[in-house]
Amino acid sequence: MIEQETDRGTTRISARAFTRVAASVAAGCLDLAPDQVGVTLARPEGRIELIVSAPIPAAVMIDRVQEQIRQEAAALTGSAIARVSVRRSGAPVAAALAGNILTQVRSHYRRDPVRLVGLVAVGLTSLGVVAGVLARAISRK
């Protein structure tokens, strides 16, 4: 629960609502769909900090985006946000890898659609596991 005291009283916002607003703001600032952005709320020493994780292209200036997210989220929620950290996730790499795998599988198994469907299912499951491991490894750095 996030509480903001003013001279008119206290405003309370649930952590879930706060992170959803922050994810929407971050998605708008990064020109992404809201479901591509993950936001974690941290409260060290009573300060509000946001950790944003998204598939951000290398050309994006993270410092500018962090400040823009901080200002817009603070304006919408009425809360003072001390810090925003933006981290790149590995989703673009995983999507490109999935496209390559599907192209190769399709070319080899055109005549056997049942086998193709089975292999695609196994490949996508494996790719999901690899993408999860990569995302965790990237977020730890």
Side-chain angles (χ1 to χ4, degrees), residues 5-137:
E5 291 189 31
T6 65
D7 56 340
R8 294 183 178 179
T10 302
T11 302
R12 291 183 183 92
I13 303 172
S14 72
R16 182 176 179 193
F18 196 91
T19 56
R20 290 182 100 184
V21 168
S24 247
V25 167
C29 292
L30 296 168
D31 198 26
L32 296 169
D35 64 343
Q36 291 180 292
V37 178
V39 174
T40 304
L41 177 66
R43 306 265 334 242
E45 301 169 11
R47 300 177 320 157
I48 298 172
E49 294 185 6
L50 299 174
I51 302 164
V52 177
S53 178
I56 305 166
V60 171
M61 300 295 290
I62 290 182
D63 292 342
R64 290 183 188 165
V65 172
Q66 289 177 160
E67 183 59 23
Q68 185 179 6
I69 293 169
R70 190 186 68 73
Q71 288 177 357
E72 288 185 28
L76 285 173
T77 61
S79 299
I81 299 173
R83 182 175 160 200
V84 174
S85 298
V86 177
R87 299 180 180 160
R88 288 184 169 94
S89 66
V93 174
L97 184 58
N100 290 341
I101 290 170
L102 288 175
T103 301
Q104 290 176 5
V105 167
R106 240 183 284 147
S107 68
H108 290 298
Y109 293 98
R110 278 192 196 277
R111 295 188 179 146
D112 191 356
V114 173
R115 195 171 194 184
L116 172 63
V117 170
L119 286 172
V120 168
V122 169
L124 290 176
T125 302
S126 300
L127 185 61
V129 171
V130 170
V133 170
L134 287 173
R136 276 188 233 111

